[in-house]
Amino acid sequence: MNRRYRKTIIAGNWKMNKTAGETKKFAEELKAVMPKTKWCDVVVCVPAVNIPAAIKAFKDMRVSVGAQNVFYEKSGAYTGEVSADMLKDLGVKYVIIGHSERRQMFGETDFTVNKKVLAALDAGLHPIICVGESLEQRELGITMELIALQVKSALAGVPAEKLRKCVIAYEPIWAIGTGKTATAEQAAEVCTFIRTTVRHLYGARIARSITIQYGGSMKPGNAFELLGQNDIDGGLIGGASLNAGDFMDIINAANQD
């Protein structure tokens, strides 16, 4: 982490977990253990149906509410979709875009990810843009080429002045929900490469300011080491974000000197 130049952000991705009632209970549990002083920004990305409950539950805490997906059109005959303006109107601040599960299970492409990023920025949201490789792609030695393509595609058409609203999350697909985790060195290598890619696109000053998270099975046992890497500015947390105690342990790891 490098707080001199950029924010440290710990974001929980609840995926398809918790009801509105459970959201309220989680907020109460987190409030009981969260200190009043905070170094890092904290985000909880909840299922769409829980957003109103989350906005209410976290309103007196230094916790921002995020969504897990967004559609790129403002309105229309798109049954089941939610627009960026709808999310903004509810009080959402962040939105996850291009998560590997969305890419693998629901056919999202680099093209649709880019359209969603642009829509989110136009509405004033902060997109958390996910990039990452599969185990097969890593073993083929094409990780960096793939990451560069995903980053460049996602940011196509994003003006420099809006890039500061973006967060990029490196999530090796082989480490999501598998219990496997990239070593701190592996994670740092890719996050540094992502920053280098952004520098080539936008220049050094802007590249220094963008938050890059690690999102592959970060948990209390490995968070301190991962977050100690210079180019890892936080985490996109899956399973560990469902338990207030575990989530707080990761937040504390992000508050290390």
Side-chain angles (χ1 to χ4, degrees):
M1 298 177 291
N2 191 327
R3 294 190 182 89
R4 179 182 176 187
Y5 294 114
R6 50 193 177 262
K7 289 182 178 181
T8 301
I9 302 174
I10 299 296
N13 175 16
W14 285 3
K15 305 187 180 183
M16 197 176 72
N17 290 289
K18 294 192 184 298
T19 62
E22 290 168 338
T23 298
K24 180 181 178 182
K25 182 181 178 182
F26 177 92
E28 292 169 349
E29 293 172 349
L30 187 64
K31 187 174 184 177
V33 297
M34 179 175 279
K36 293 182 180 179
T37 57
K38 176 177 65 68
W39 296 357
C40 70
D41 285 13
V42 179
V43 183
V44 177
C45 298
V46 304
V49 294
N50 290 352
I51 289 173
I55 294 291
K56 183 178 180 180
F58 291 109
K59 67 178 181 179
D60 296 326
M61 301 172 63
R62 293 183 176 180
V63 176
S64 298
V65 174
Q68 298 174 14
N69 188 30
V70 66
F71 195 56
Y72 47 76
E73 296 290 355
K74 282 186 170 292
S75 61
Y78 306 105
T79 301
E81 296 294 342
V82 177
S83 74
D85 289 337
M86 292 174 182
L87 295 177
K88 183 71 174 179
D89 185 63
L90 287 174
V92 168
K93 185 174 180 180
Y94 289 85
V95 58
I96 299 171
I97 296 176
H99 191 279
S100 62
E101 290 161 1
R102 297 294 312 175
R103 294 177 188 256
Q104 290 180 304
M105 298 179 189
F106 301 100
E108 290 197 8
T109 66
D110 291 338
F111 177 71
T112 56
V113 166
N114 174 244
K115 292 178 71 173
K116 291 183 176 189
V117 169
L118 295 174
L121 290 170
D122 285 346
L125 299 175
H126 294 254
I128 300 175
I129 305 164
C130 298
V131 299
E133 83 284 11
S134 66
L135 181 60
E136 292 78 11
Q137 289 163 336
R138 173 165 279 272
E139 290 176 342
L140 284 172
I142 60 173
T143 293
M144 300 310 184
E145 290 90 338
L146 179 72
I147 296 296
L149 175 63
Q150 290 178 334
V151 170
K152 291 176 181 178
S153 298
L155 298 180
V158 175
E161 64 270 17
K162 287 190 176 182
L163 188 67
R164 295 180 185 277
K165 282 185 170 286
C166 296
V167 176
I168 299 177
Y170 168 53
E171 43 154 28
I173 298 170
W174 47 273
I176 297 174
T178 64
K180 298 179 180 178
T181 309
T183 65
E185 292 74 19
Q186 287 174 321
E189 180 185 26
V190 179
C191 289
T192 297
F193 177 77
I194 291 171
R195 199 174 306 285
T196 299
T197 302
V198 174
R199 186 174 72 244
H200 289 159
L201 295 171
Y202 293 93
R205 181 175 59 84
I206 292 178
R208 280 197 303 267
S209 70
I210 191 168
T211 296
I212 300 175
Q213 299 175 318
Y214 174 72
S217 295
M218 185 183 286
K219 42 193 178 285
N222 59 31
F224 192 89
E225 184 180 11
L226 285 164
L227 292 168
Q229 306 301 310
N230 185 63
D231 282 313
I232 298 179
D233 309 308
L236 182 59
I237 317 301
S241 71
L242 297 173
N243 178 280
D246 289 345
F247 194 46
M248 192 65 234
D249 285 344
I250 297 172
I251 293 169
N252 286 333
N255 288 340
Q256 63 183 280
D257 291 329

